[in-house]
Amino acid sequence: MTISKESPLQEPGPRRLACSRCGAEFGCDLSGSCWCAEETTRLPMPVKGDDCLCRECLRKAAAEAASRSPDGAQA
């Protein structure tokens, strides 16, 4: 497939996801302005076919990870 110089590349639009923990629907904007970029806690990327988490589940997962760490600090 070739891309014409005359047709500019388009950034992907927001996508609708279902949280891999609770099933809640939410939006993800792959252009970098997704709400999760505003979160202070960073978790590893999903693995084994999982997808992103909704805001509430992301915060719960961050709290769980912090409680498991030896010093209680968030990643």
Side-chain angles (χ1 to χ4, degrees):
M1 178 178 157
T2 59
I3 300 174
S4 168
K5 291 180 183 178
E6 296 167 3
S7 84
L9 293 176
Q10 295 179 0
E11 290 188 25
R15 59 185 185 139
R16 297 298 300 167
L17 297 174
C19 176
S20 61
R21 281 197 177 183
C22 72
E25 286 191 25
F26 63 97
C28 175
D29 188 348
L30 297 175
S31 69
S33 60
C34 186
W35 60 265
C36 69
E38 299 168 0
E39 292 293 310
T40 57
T41 302
R42 302 287 182 246
L43 295 175
M45 293 298 292
V47 293
K48 298 179 185 173
D50 286 344
D51 209 337
C52 297
L53 302 175
C54 68
R55 188 180 305 256
E56 184 174 334
C57 288
L58 178 64
R59 289 179 177 169
K60 286 180 185 176
E64 291 166 4
S67 69
R68 285 192 306 267
S69 72
D71 60 1
Q74 291 186 5

